Amino acid sequence: MSNERERTPGGEPDVLAELEAEVAQELEEQRPPAGGPTYQTVAALVTLAIGVTGSVLSYGYGLGTLRAPGPGLWPLVVSLVITALSLVLLVTGRRLTDDERFTRTSLLPLVGVLTFIGLGALIPVIGFELPSLALCVIWLRFLGGESWRSTIVVSVGTVAAFYLLFLYGLRIPLPHLL
């Protein structure tokens, strides 16, 4: 920053502009190192695999028609969008400069997916409430770094809202303890 302060048209120092410049500089210093084209390609291939896998699995559930959609229609649509966007990233991603090098925190989404799958597999065994509550707590407290107070309030509120939505609003029978 220069020694001269920017001034507003009235001749007063422009404190907001100085603050914005300082915040921008701090954000630039905290940014992880760039990963390069290899990281863009790896990210595109991972999401491409997710999209193709989702397409194949959702097709197996049955598509139905637009007037009477089957359980796999909308998951197929979402999977096809993921696949298309992944292909675009694979083709154009090598020229982008907004990538970040993989670090330890890059594993957090994988941990989130694994806990989702693991706790989802427990729902038929021990019911909806406990695995859902555990998932919320793990994601908020351990993956998201939230305080215990907000973790408990949001987790209990989220599970209660989904419980009411599924069982009473949508009348979807879920295995539950309550």
Side-chain angles (χ1 to χ4, degrees), residues 11-89:
E12 300 159 356
D14 191 357
V15 178
L16 184 59
E18 289 179 12
L19 184 60
E20 287 175 355
E22 185 178 324
V23 168
Q25 183 180 1
E26 286 179 19
L27 288 175
E28 188 62 34
E29 291 171 1
Q30 293 175 357
R31 184 180 178 147
T38 303
Y39 287 86
Q40 292 283 8
T41 303
V42 169
L45 290 174
V46 167
T47 55
L48 180 65
I50 291 170
V52 169
T53 302
S55 297
V56 170
L57 292 174
S58 60
Y59 183 78
Y61 284 121
L63 303 179
T65 65
L66 288 178
R67 293 195 185 271
L73 181 63
W74 293 113
L76 176 68
V77 170
V78 171
S79 297
L80 290 175
V81 169
I82 291 171
T83 301
L85 292 174
S86 300
L87 289 172
V88 169
L89 180 61

